[in-house]
Amino acid sequence: MSFLKHNSYKEVPMDCEYITFGMGCFWGAEKRFWEVKGLKTTVVGYSGGKTDNPTYEEVCSGQTGHAEVVRVILEKKKFSWDELFQIFWEPHDPTQLNRQGNDIGPQYRSIIFFNKKNEFDLIEKIINEMERDGIYEKIVTETEPFQKFYKAEDYHQNYYENNPK
């Protein structure tokens, strides 16, 4: 892989942008973004809940309100929003509420945490077009302004690279 390891960053560098996606289990979600042009790194964690510094076990209980998410950190002007959103939409079913396949619970919901109004506008445009064109009947993907991100435990980071099958 050509990107830097997750622990290379404590904060998002000034020359980068990020967006945070929830699309089921964060292990598979993270791996899907590894080939994005302009990628600096990915970090898996938890967002969208009410508990500060949640643990994996707490999030899995479904009681914290957090989703398992992947933060995608990209070099400014070196990536394509279209490519990024295509990677987000393709591997999961955005019509399933609080689940993806066998993973059931609010921690597995489809959600995008955006940072800027133009990101929200683009997300809403894509959702409207997919519903209008009949790609999906009713998309339940949540869109929320980004607030807090809690990095998941180290053993979850780069899971598929660190645990080859």
Side-chain angles (χ1 to χ4, degrees):
M1 276 180 277
S2 61
F3 64 92
L4 299 173
K5 295 288 185 192
H6 73 279
N7 56 9
S8 299
Y9 296 119
K10 296 211 182 286
E11 299 294 329
V12 177
M14 294 296 291
D15 65 337
C16 292
E17 294 187 50
Y18 69 92
I19 190 162
T20 306
F21 295 108
M23 49 197 277
C25 175
F26 49 33
W27 293 344
E30 177 187 41
K31 184 178 180 184
R32 295 199 172 272
F33 291 100
W34 286 349
E35 300 303 320
V36 171
K37 182 180 175 192
L39 181 73
K40 275 284 203 181
T41 193
T42 56
V43 184
V44 298
Y46 318 109
S47 287
K50 60 185 183 285
T51 303
D52 288 336
N53 300 307
T55 65
Y56 179 69
E57 290 75 21
E58 290 171 333
V59 171
C60 284
S61 76
Q63 301 303 304
T64 69
H66 290 283
E68 288 189 16
V69 296
V70 58
R71 174 179 276 184
V72 182
I73 302 173
L74 306 128
E75 295 178 78
K76 289 182 180 177
K77 300 181 182 177
K78 291 189 178 180
F79 70 95
S80 159
W81 283 109
D82 290 338
E83 178 186 9
L84 207 57
F85 284 114
Q86 183 175 355
I87 291 169
F88 170 73
W89 294 113
E90 284 183 354
H92 81 290
D93 183 348
T95 66
Q96 291 185 333
L97 183 63
N98 293 332
R99 75 175 296 162
Q100 287 302 311
N102 293 328
D103 295 329
I104 299 172
Q107 67 272 27
Y108 301 115
R109 68 190 179 272
S110 178
I111 189 165
I112 304 171
F113 294 96
F114 61 89
N115 298 300
K116 300 174 188 166
K117 183 171 180 343
N118 68 316
E119 294 169 11
F120 172 77
D121 292 342
L122 180 59
I123 295 162
E124 289 298 304
K125 178 180 178 248
I126 292 167
I127 288 173
N128 290 334
E129 287 173 357
M130 288 192 301
E131 288 179 342
R132 182 195 68 225
D133 294 346
I135 297 169
Y136 295 106
E137 187 171 319
K138 177 66 178 148
I139 294 173
V140 296
T141 299
E142 298 174 23
T143 52
E144 293 184 14
F146 177 79
Q147 292 185 16
K148 288 188 178 180
F149 174 85
Y150 299 99
K151 182 181 159 200
E153 296 80 355
D154 284 343
Y155 69 93
H156 292 296
Q157 307 299 327
N158 302 95
Y159 185 82
Y160 284 116
E161 180 182 271
N162 295 328
N163 297 280
K165 295 188 180 191

